[in-house]
Amino acid sequence: MSLFLDIFGYLSVVLRGLTLLAQSFTLGGIAFQALLLRPLQDKLSADAIAIGKKCQRFLRLSARAWFSVTLASLAINVAALTGTLDVSWREAAGADFARFELAVAGCALVLSLLARTGTWTSWRTTALIVIAAFALALQLNLTHAASRLEVRWPLMLADALHMLGAGVWIGGLPYFLMALNGCKAAGDERLIGRRYSLMSMAAVAAIVVGGTVMAIAYLGSFEAIYGTAYGVMTSAKVAMLLMLLALGAGNFLAVERLRRRDPEAPLLRLKRFVEVELGVGLTVLMTAGSLTSLPPGVDLSQDRLSWQEIVERAAPQWPRLISPPADQLTISQLQAEIDAADAQRVTAPPAYVPGEGIILPRSAEDIAWSEYNHHWAGIFVLLIGLLALIEHFSWGRWARHWPLLFLVMAAFLFFRADEMAWPIGPIGFFASLRDPEVAQHRLFVVLIILFGLFEWRVRLRGEAAGRAALMFPLTVAVGGALLMTHSHAIANVKDQLLIEMSHTPLALCGMTAGWARWLELRLPGRTSRIAAWVWPVAFVLVGLILLDYREA
């Protein structure tokens, strides 16, 4: 049963992030139509009106996705509840959270029906806004704020501001990008860009105010920022918000140059920055979904990390380059005991079954095995970053084959990442996939192979590679986002948090590398040249972080 609970727990986090994505795109689409396209319809050209119909179709799809993902999340949560408590499906479906989620799904369905293409009359716009506001109010009952026993309503209001701001800003980016790509008249670009900039500034203010109130209430102290998982994830969100603000500031300056009719206004750079802003924004929303699965730091007064413990773990040490034998690992010794008991026909210790929620004790050899894997992975990534830097020099053309190192690293991780699984451990390949952590590791191996092959093809073909070149930055950025939701099953809470603290900068560097490479490919000129140096440096940083990885 714990197998299903582990899977349901991970799926619940992912679905929560997808729910926030669909919700934000729906709210952003309504705001874009009601606050931008409709007020400006008399000033925009016929091309811009056609863009409105395209935005309506995307809004309808977003509302349908919100409906579908909410129902899927409801089914997962009800299944998890019936699996952990002695309650029937009928009783679980009658719980408060189930009723609220069902009501939110109903609102999303109505929004999808109202968001059909055609003229947006006043009554339809009003109905969309009212139903969206009602859905947002219902959604608040599924947040941390609703479970607080004190200062509940101020926190719910702050959460509402936070979600509304994210919807208008991040959720409005796809519509803004569609508008920029569809506009043919410079006047349309100026009007749309200026109005969206004003909307975004108001949305950022709402995000900052709401986020500040919640951070103060849910963290409670400075120590909780670095001493709890909630604080670490909140810090990651703040770092990504700063990235978004930097991109947004660049876009604002570009819009201002458009407004002044500057003939050298960087319109192409504006579009590409919006693409990156959207990608980072999606990662922020997925991280927010993961954050909802963690208890607020203020509620965790025990098992917090001290600053001294973090400093001691982060102190540089020589990498572990020699691996302990596989037969000295806990899983191997357990299997040997089972085999010996079977041979003597005596009672054997319980076998380890992947996904059953049993956390094996970790010996010094287990820790050494894991550190060895991370340190050699760090060497591979460090070499990749250095070779990518060398390639920029006139004498370094030979280094363009650096993507092949990804294939070597993928093979290394496939054999070494999970000691209990095939081909090293006693558990078969398909049976091992029942463990969510193993399944995530296998997925990461596939991603590494994909962007290694695609990027090697790009290096060989150059500009003739076309859109295949985009596979590398997208895969790296997605890998960084997935790392934000990755977790280790370790009994010691402090050790688990120390490991997660190393994953957060890895994810941020991965995201930076992916989107910097995207800008290098999608932009000409100085910005492209700067981005071409940024992403290899990010890879070097990833390698150095992995080389300093410690579990004890």
Side-chain angles (χ1 to χ4, degrees):
M1 180 57 70
S2 59
L3 159 65
F4 295 103
L5 295 181
D6 288 341
I7 295 175
F8 286 166
Y10 182 70
L11 286 178
S12 179
V13 172
V14 174
L15 287 172
R16 177 59 181 162
L18 294 177
T19 300
L20 291 177
L21 290 181
Q23 171 189 299
S24 297
F25 286 161
T26 304
L27 297 178
I30 294 172
F32 197 83
Q33 292 279 354
L35 300 178
L36 192 151
L37 289 181
R38 197 163 187 273
L40 296 179
Q41 60 184 350
D42 295 333
K43 300 178 182 180
L44 298 174
S45 65
D47 291 330
I49 301 302
I51 292 169
K53 295 181 179 179
K54 187 175 181 181
C55 291
Q56 288 175 24
R57 287 193 292 270
F58 188 76
L59 170 58
R60 188 170 67 253
L61 291 174
S62 299
R64 289 176 180 173
W66 190 6
F67 167 74
S68 302
V69 175
T70 301
L71 286 184
S73 177
L74 173 60
I76 290 293
N77 290 330
V78 168
L81 185 60
T82 58
T84 53
L85 301 176
D86 187 18
V87 296
S88 65
W89 280 86
R90 182 185 296 273
E91 292 172 324
D96 287 342
F97 80 89
R99 293 202 301 269
F100 283 123
E101 283 196 296
L102 192 58
V104 170
C107 291
L109 180 60
V110 174
L111 289 174
S112 69
L113 296 175
L114 287 173
R116 65 186 187 277
T117 56
T119 304
W120 273 46
T121 59
S122 297
W123 75 265
R124 194 204 293 193
T125 303
T126 303
L128 282 165
I129 293 174
V130 170
I131 295 172
F134 184 59
L136 185 61
L138 291 170
Q139 192 77 42
L140 291 175
N141 291 280
L142 302 171
T143 63
H144 283 310
S147 63
R148 310 307 292 177
L149 298 178
E150 70 285 340
V151 293
R152 181 178 178 183
W153 288 106
L155 286 175
M156 293 185 75
L157 180 60
D159 213 337
L161 281 175
H162 202 63
M163 287 195 287
L164 183 61
V168 174
W169 180 21
I170 300 175
L173 286 171
Y175 304 93
F176 184 42
L177 188 58
M178 282 187 279
L180 290 177
N181 289 329
C183 286
K184 296 180 181 179
D188 290 343
E189 294 165 350
R190 287 193 293 270
L191 287 171
I192 292 174
R194 179 60 177 168
R195 178 62 68 94
Y196 185 74
S197 291
L198 294 175
M199 290 169 54
S200 297
M201 286 189 285
V204 168
I207 290 173
V208 172
V209 170
T212 302
V213 171
M214 289 190 294
I216 293 173
Y218 293 150
L219 291 174
S221 64
F222 180 76
E223 290 75 15
I225 297 176
Y226 58 81
T228 65
Y230 191 93
V232 173
M233 292 296 287
T234 300
S235 301
K237 276 187 64 180
V238 171
M240 288 185 284
L241 176 62
L242 293 177
M243 293 183 191
L244 285 173
L245 290 176
L247 291 166
N251 290 339
F252 176 78
L253 295 176
V255 168
E256 285 299 300
R257 292 177 66 178
L258 281 174
R259 189 175 65 86
R260 294 194 303 267
R261 292 178 171 80
D262 185 344
E264 298 183 0
L267 180 59
L268 179 61
R269 192 185 72 183
L270 172 63
K271 294 178 182 179
R272 301 301 174 245
F273 273 28
V274 170
E275 293 172 353
V276 175
E277 196 175 348
L278 176 58
V280 177
L282 297 183
T283 307
V284 170
L285 293 176
M286 291 299 294
T287 304
S290 180
L291 194 62
T292 60
S293 67
L294 299 173
V298 70
D299 295 337
L300 299 177
S301 58
Q302 303 295 325
D303 291 322
R304 284 189 177 184
L305 283 176
S306 67
W307 184 253
Q308 184 62 30
E309 288 173 314
I310 297 173
V311 171
E312 289 177 0
R313 179 63 64 89
Q317 298 181 30
W318 188 254
R320 190 183 297 275
L321 304 179
I322 299 177
S323 171
D327 58 7
Q328 294 182 8
L329 302 178
T330 299
I331 183 66
S332 300
Q333 304 224 344
L334 177 61
Q335 187 64 39
E337 290 178 18
I338 294 173
D339 294 340
D342 289 341
Q344 299 175 12
R345 299 188 177 183
V346 298
T347 302
Y352 173 76
V353 179
E356 286 297 319
I358 300 174
I359 301 177
L360 294 176
R362 291 174 63 79
S363 64
E365 288 75 15
D366 295 323
I367 293 173
W369 180 279
S370 179
E371 291 181 352
Y372 172 88
N373 292 347
H374 283 83
H375 294 165
W376 272 102
I379 291 174
F380 287 128
V381 176
L382 180 62
L383 288 175
I384 287 169
L386 292 175
L387 290 175
L389 288 172
I390 292 173
E391 186 187 5
H392 289 301
F393 297 99
S394 57
W395 49 269
R397 183 170 172 76
W398 57 271
R400 71 183 187 277
H401 298 292
W402 56 261
L404 293 178
L405 282 174
F406 280 121
L407 305 183
V408 179
M409 183 171 67
F412 172 81
L413 293 177
F414 178 77
F415 282 95
R416 296 272 317 187
D418 300 288
E419 64 274 12
M420 79 289 291
W422 183 89
I424 291 179
I427 302 171
F429 175 78
F430 293 105
S432 68
L433 296 179
R434 297 169 63 189
D435 189 326
E437 184 179 339
V438 175
Q440 290 179 66
H441 288 161
R442 299 303 191 196
L443 177 59
F444 286 144
V445 168
V446 173
L447 291 176
I448 291 171
I449 293 173
L450 282 177
F451 63 63
L453 290 174
F454 273 91
E455 188 62 14
W456 188 42
R457 180 172 179 264
V458 169
R459 294 294 159 179
L460 293 179
R461 299 186 61 187
E463 295 182 359
R467 292 190 175 273
L470 300 178
M471 178 61 70
F472 175 78
L474 283 176
T475 309
V476 174
V478 169
L482 287 175
L483 196 56
M484 284 290 186
T485 63
H486 178 65
S487 62
H488 284 79
I490 298 175
N492 188 297
V493 176
K494 288 189 175 183
D495 283 343
Q496 181 177 1
L497 181 53
L498 284 167
I499 293 174
E500 301 304 332
M501 290 185 72
S502 67
H503 281 181
T504 301
L506 287 175
L508 293 175
C509 288
M511 186 179 61
T512 301
W515 292 117
R517 174 61 175 156
W518 179 275
L519 290 177
E520 179 193 3
L521 294 170
R522 299 280 281 167
L523 278 176
R526 185 166 64 95
T527 305
S528 177
R529 291 192 295 271
I530 294 174
W533 287 93
V534 169
W535 71 263
V537 171
F539 265 85
V540 170
L541 291 176
V542 169
L544 293 176
I545 294 171
L546 286 172
L547 283 172
D548 194 44
Y549 177 87
R550 290 287 180 272
E551 292 189 11

